[in-house]
């Protein structure tokens, strides 16, 4: 519980250490997993000292146990091994030091490690860290390649030599780190983050040669997986050989079976690209030549057409046809006019023959009353009635003398 202290009423160091020890004693025994980084077995000593480290974080704690406890697993446990320890936390008050008193040590077998990796793989996959849509495409021609690998390792040599053989102008930014052991995870994570923060690094390769399951465990660490998932720069995993599949292979943007394969997939081959350019250039030339040849044939075909070869020919042909039609229409119109004239003459003759004027010329006269009514019968006039007689050359008045009944 919280203590009431102040600058005027402080607690002595011994009291604080005693209270901490009391709180730790109440914790009780716990099961702890870690990796042995230091092991001290002094001849004749009844106590074995070792340091247990968390491989994912820069945290370690000292462990002591009786010799008989360690002797039970001495044949299978050494520095670098992963173990599970049943221990009780102890507080050494004079030095203010925390340690674990181990009552039982159990090595973590390969089968158990693989089972844990499979469980971690399912958990990370459920979060979507391995999803294909998260994968970033690699640049066609990277100018600067980041390389995370062991110092003077075969993986570093394979990547550098093969990449420069394929594209001599490629540049590398190399980060040499521990690729196995307790320092591997924090160093690899730091190197990846440093390279990702560099704006001119186009792609990052994490490479390591082959090894046992325990040797490759750092590349299945959750901290490293999440660091790679958060990178904005494409990451290529080149760990071990073809059968080796650490979890880094699933989260990386590209998996290479070997470091040599990574160099081939990241850097294009200059000879192949020259050949590809030559092939594309030849193909483009053939396409252009075929297009020109086709257009030339089309132009020649167009020029060979009568309308282009002799443009006036069509006009001349149409002119003759038009003249023929004009002459035909003139003849037709003449015939029509002649026939109309003949019909008009005939009709005129008929009209003249049937007109009253012709009758009057033959000596006939037309009698009209004062109101213009034509007299057709003697009964229509009266004695002394003045009528108007119309003859061929004119008209004159006449008077009725007597009308016979």
């Amino acid at each position: 519980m919280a203590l009431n202290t102040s600058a005027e009423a402080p607690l002595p160091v011994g009291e604080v250490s005693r209270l901490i020890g009391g709180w730790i004693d109440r914790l009780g025994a716990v099961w702890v997993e870690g990796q042995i980084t230091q092991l001290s077995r002094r001849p004749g000593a009844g106590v074995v000292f070792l340091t247990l480290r968390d491989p994912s974080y820069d945290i370690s704690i000292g462990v002591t146990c009786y010799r008989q406890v360690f002797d039970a697993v001495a044949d299978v446990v050494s520095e670098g091994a992963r173990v599970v320890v049943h221990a009780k936390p102890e507080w050494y008050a004079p030095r203010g030091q925390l340690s674990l008193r181990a009552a039982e040590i159990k090595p973590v077998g390969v089968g158990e490690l693989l089972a844990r990796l499979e469980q971690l793989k399912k958990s990370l996959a459920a979060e979507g860290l391995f999803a294909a849509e998260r994968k970033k495409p690699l640049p066609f021609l990277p100018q600067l390649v980041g390389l995370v690998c062991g110092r003077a390792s075969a993986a570093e040599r394979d990547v550098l030599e093969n990449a420069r053989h394929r594209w001599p102008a490629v540049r590398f930014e190399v980060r040499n780190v521990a690729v196995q052991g307790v320092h591997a995870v924090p160093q690899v994570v730091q190197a990846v983050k440093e390279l990702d923060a560099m704006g001119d690094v186009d792609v990052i390769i994490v490479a390591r040669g082959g090894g046992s399951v325990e040797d490759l465990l750092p590349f299945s660490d959750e901290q490293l997986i999440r660091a790679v998932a958060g990178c904005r720069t494409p990451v290529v995993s080149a760990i071990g050989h073809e059968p080796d599949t650490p979890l880094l292979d699933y989260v990386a943007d590209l998996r290479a079976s070997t470091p040599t394969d990574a160099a081939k997939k990241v850097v294009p081959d200059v000879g192949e690209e020259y050949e590809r350019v030559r092939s594309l250039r030849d193909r483009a030339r053939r396409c252009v030549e075929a297009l020109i040849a086709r257009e030339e044939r089309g132009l020649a075909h167009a020029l060979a057409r009568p309308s282009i070869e002799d443009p006036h020919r069509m006009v001349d042909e149409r002119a003759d046809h038009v003249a023929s039609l004009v002459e035909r229409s003139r003849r037709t119109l003449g015939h029509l006019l002649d026939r109309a004239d003949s019909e008009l003459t005939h009709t005129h003759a008929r009209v003249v023959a049937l007109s009253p004027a012709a009758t009057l010329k033959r000596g006939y006269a037309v009698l009209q009353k004062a109101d213009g009514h034509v007299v057709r019968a003697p009964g229509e006039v009266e004695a002394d009635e003045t009528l108007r007689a119309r003859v061929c050359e004119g008209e004159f008045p006449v008077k009725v003398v007597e009308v016979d009944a």
Side-chain angles (χ1 to χ4, degrees):
M1 60 175 45
L3 300 176
N4 293 323
T5 61
S6 65
E8 291 73 20
L11 288 178
V13 173
E15 181 64 15
V16 173
S17 182
R18 184 187 66 79
L19 290 173
I20 294 175
W23 294 331
I24 292 176
D25 286 340
R26 287 197 294 272
L27 179 61
V30 293
W31 286 97
V32 181
E33 181 183 354
Q35 188 175 21
I36 298 176
T37 58
Q38 293 181 355
L39 178 60
S40 177
R41 299 176 63 190
R42 298 176 181 175
V47 178
V48 177
F49 298 90
L50 52 92
T51 299
L52 201 62
R53 184 183 182 88
D54 189 329
S56 299
Y57 301 94
D58 191 13
I59 300 174
S60 60
I61 189 171
V63 179
T64 61
C65 65
Y66 292 113
R67 177 173 289 275
Q68 57 268 29
V69 173
F70 186 81
D71 287 345
V73 293
D75 295 337
V76 292
V77 169
S78 60
E79 287 189 6
R82 285 178 176 255
V83 294
V84 176
V85 177
H86 188 235
K88 185 179 184 305
E90 290 184 345
W91 180 257
Y92 186 59
R95 294 184 180 176
Q97 182 177 355
L98 176 66
S99 63
L100 298 175
R101 171 71 68 172
E104 183 179 357
I105 300 176
K106 297 176 62 177
V108 178
V110 174
E112 187 175 357
L113 288 175
L114 294 177
R116 293 182 184 179
L117 289 180
E118 186 62 28
Q119 184 178 2
L120 178 60
K121 175 184 174 183
K122 292 180 179 179
S123 175
L124 296 176
E127 293 184 31
L129 298 186
F130 302 158
E133 54 270 18
R134 291 177 56 93
K135 308 294 184 184
K136 295 177 286 294
L138 270 62
F140 166 69
L141 181 58
Q143 301 299 314
L144 182 61
V145 179
L147 176 60
V148 180
C149 59
R151 184 180 302 276
S153 62
E156 178 181 7
R157 184 179 62 255
D158 290 344
V159 172
L160 296 181
E161 290 183 357
N162 282 278
R164 287 168 178 163
H165 176 73
R166 292 172 63 82
W167 198 275
V170 68
R171 296 180 296 114
F172 279 89
E173 185 69 26
V174 181
R175 291 291 185 273
N176 293 124
V177 297
V179 291
Q180 69 182 59
V182 295
H183 301 291
V185 172
Q187 290 186 15
V188 173
V189 169
Q190 182 181 359
V192 169
K193 290 182 177 180
E194 287 180 1
L195 294 174
D196 185 53
M198 297 177 63
D200 52 349
V201 172
D202 299 316
V203 62
I204 300 172
I205 300 176
V206 182
R208 186 202 189 283
S212 63
V213 175
E214 293 87 347
D215 294 337
L216 301 181
L217 281 178
F219 299 97
S220 294
D221 187 86
E222 182 176 359
Q223 184 183 2
L224 176 59
I225 300 305
R226 295 190 180 278
V228 172
C231 287
R232 61 172 182 81
T233 308
V235 178
V236 177
S237 173
I239 306 302
H241 303 296
E242 181 66 33
D244 299 322
T245 54
L247 298 186
L248 180 62
D249 287 351
Y250 297 96
V251 73
D253 299 291
L254 178 68
R255 176 189 181 267
S257 57
T258 62
T260 300
D261 184 50
K264 294 180 179 179
K265 289 182 176 180
V266 170
V267 180
D269 184 84
V270 63
E272 294 177 358
E273 296 306 319
Y274 274 133
E275 180 62 25
R276 184 176 303 172
V277 170
R278 187 194 63 78
S279 176
L280 292 175
R281 185 174 57 224
D282 292 344
R283 180 181 176 185
R285 181 184 295 108
R286 289 194 299 271
C287 291
V288 172
E289 290 174 350
L291 177 61
I292 293 175
R294 184 170 67 249
E295 295 302 322
E296 287 179 344
R297 290 193 299 271
L299 182 59
H301 178 71
L303 292 175
R305 298 179 63 180
S307 58
I308 302 298
E309 188 176 16
D310 186 6
H312 298 285
R313 179 180 178 182
M314 183 181 296
V315 177
D316 296 340
E317 292 177 354
R318 295 296 184 271
D320 294 341
H321 184 62
V322 170
S324 175
L325 291 177
V326 169
E327 181 62 25
R328 180 181 176 185
S329 63
R330 182 178 291 109
R331 289 195 304 271
T332 302
L333 181 60
H335 293 160
L336 291 175
L337 292 176
D338 292 343
R339 185 171 61 185
D341 181 67
S342 176
E343 291 179 355
L344 181 60
T345 302
H346 179 69
T347 302
H348 180 266
R350 290 179 59 190
V351 169
V352 169
L354 296 176
S355 68
T359 303
L360 293 178
K361 286 182 179 182
R362 291 197 299 272
Y364 291 94
V366 178
L367 296 177
Q368 293 178 315
K369 300 182 71 171
D371 58 1
H373 182 72
V374 177
V375 178
R376 292 181 176 81
E380 295 180 356
V381 298
E382 296 177 356
D384 296 331
E385 182 178 1
T386 301
L387 301 177
R388 187 174 56 183
R390 183 176 181 181
V391 294
C392 180
E393 298 299 332
E395 60 181 26
F396 54 88
V398 294
K399 187 172 183 179
V400 179
V401 176
E402 183 180 354
V403 178
D404 293 335

